[in-house]
Amino acid sequence: ATLSQLIDEPLSAMPRTEIYKIDAGTFGAVPYLSQERLYLTEQKAAGVLKGIVMPFESSLIACLHDEAGYSATFRRMVDSLAQSLVLRDEPGGPFVHEEVLVWRLRDMNIGFTINRAALDSDGDIESTVETAVLLPRSANEVMAHDEFDMTYETTQGDLISGRYAEAENGEIKLSIRLDQVEGGGYQVEGNFQGKEIDAPLQAKSRVYGPYYQHRAMVQAANSADGQPRTLSIDAYVPSANPLQTITFDVSPTGARVDGSPEYELVFAGVKATGVVDDKGQKSLAVNIGPLSLQLSRTYVNSQP
């Protein structure tokens, strides 16, 4: 949403604007989301406003360029800034797993997801999942979708607690807190699509955290006998159902892509096809309603 605001606010008085380009990717290990928008002033002068945002763990850096042309030069300058910048208060790893995946719609990269996991001071796994997407709605309108999850799980993979938030165009759509309760089980509190929630979570069995899900996929795809295995995991995805866990069923298709097994993933009525290698999810293709989305890994740093 920050990128949309940075682009929209300076152009709010312009009689005409049009989306020229949306892009996403990585500068080294740093993800970015960019937008270029054409505009026409009241004096009939044309221009192009370019914006790039880059999230760090504790900060968000934005760069703007208001001049036609020089797109490649602007990108190179921001790339250099991203890879040379050292933030004084940035917490930093060490991460046991860090990856960036880019979302693609047709011929346009429209967003990214960052997955990170690290040991906390109690010896548990702290994971964060951050997603930012700009989805074109028309020639001059985009929908900005943002997600941020922070979870804790044991080293055996059992989910301890989680905080989940989602927004569209800066408006909060989901804000959920999940905690274990005495005697077993979990309690869900928060707001989901404008409705207050305070109820126990319905779970079929053990609920696993995101880092366990990642490790289980890697192990299933890289078994000792060389044959990829099926996998079924119960996880908590509040956007799918805030009061009930969902089951991820993963089955090898028998095909291989560049030596890595292809899988079919089924969850909450959605089917996807992806490739898993020894570092985790390499790619994924999924149809959500009328949209055909592809997810491709662009950066990974993962401990064995």
Side-chain angles (χ1 to χ4, degrees), residues 23-273:
D23 192 23
T26 51
F27 297 135
V30 180
Y32 70 86
L33 185 58
S34 71
Q35 183 183 168
E36 296 185 23
R37 188 176 288 239
L38 306 172
Y39 65 85
L40 187 68
T41 68
E42 292 183 352
Q43 292 74 33
K44 307 300 181 183
V48 181
L49 183 62
K50 311 174 192 71
I52 299 178
V53 294
M54 301 169 290
F56 293 81
E57 282 189 84
S58 60
S59 308
L60 183 72
I61 293 179
C63 301
L64 287 176
H65 182 255
D66 185 8
E67 190 173 348
Y70 304 103
S71 293
T73 302
F74 177 53
R75 189 177 299 269
R76 284 196 300 270
M77 292 178 63
V78 178
D79 185 348
S80 178
L81 171 67
Q83 298 197 57
S84 62
L85 191 65
V86 178
L87 299 180
R88 180 180 301 173
D89 299 324
E90 190 75 353
F95 299 113
V96 295
H97 179 69
E98 182 181 24
E99 66 180 1
V100 180
L101 302 109
V102 169
W103 290 95
R104 189 172 182 84
L105 175 65
R106 295 188 293 275
D107 60 348
M108 186 181 297
N109 294 333
I110 61 169
F112 59 77
T113 292
I114 314 167
N115 296 315
R116 293 187 175 113
L119 284 170
D120 71 2
S121 57
D122 295 324
D124 297 315
I125 300 292
E126 176 188 301
S127 294
T128 58
V129 180
E130 181 178 356
T131 295
V133 170
L134 287 178
L135 190 63
R137 282 183 167 172
S138 66
N140 56 12
E141 183 184 11
V142 296
M143 188 274 285
H145 179 82
D146 299 285
E147 298 181 24
F148 187 82
D149 303 337
M150 176 178 286
T151 59
Y152 293 88
E153 62 188 88
T154 67
T155 52
Q156 290 74 41
D158 296 285
L159 187 63
I160 299 170
S161 63
R163 305 294 181 268
Y164 309 84
E166 295 187 16
E168 289 185 5
N169 293 330
E171 181 182 351
I172 299 297
K173 297 294 184 179
L174 180 154
S175 179
I176 296 290
R177 172 174 178 163
L178 179 78
D179 291 295
Q180 283 183 327
V181 295
E182 292 185 10
Y186 300 86
Q187 187 73 12
V188 181
E189 297 180 21
N191 187 284
F192 177 71
Q193 296 181 355
K195 296 181 180 180
E196 293 296 322
I197 294 175
D198 188 353
L201 176 69
Q202 300 175 35
K204 296 178 182 178
S205 58
R206 295 173 67 182
V207 185
Y208 292 103
Y211 183 58
Y212 175 87
Q213 297 168 43
H214 157 75
R215 288 186 296 133
M217 281 292 297
V218 171
Q219 292 167 3
N222 299 274
S223 59
D225 61 6
Q227 298 300 315
R229 305 192 310 269
T230 60
L231 185 67
S232 185
I233 294 177
D234 271 12
Y236 182 57
V237 184
S239 57
N241 190 331
L243 294 177
Q244 186 174 340
T245 58
I246 66 172
T247 301
F248 288 85
D249 290 314
V250 187
S251 305
T253 65
R256 286 184 175 268
V257 179
D258 295 329
S260 298
E262 182 184 70
Y263 277 86
E264 182 181 69
L265 173 64
V266 180
F267 62 98
V270 176
K271 286 186 178 181
T273 303

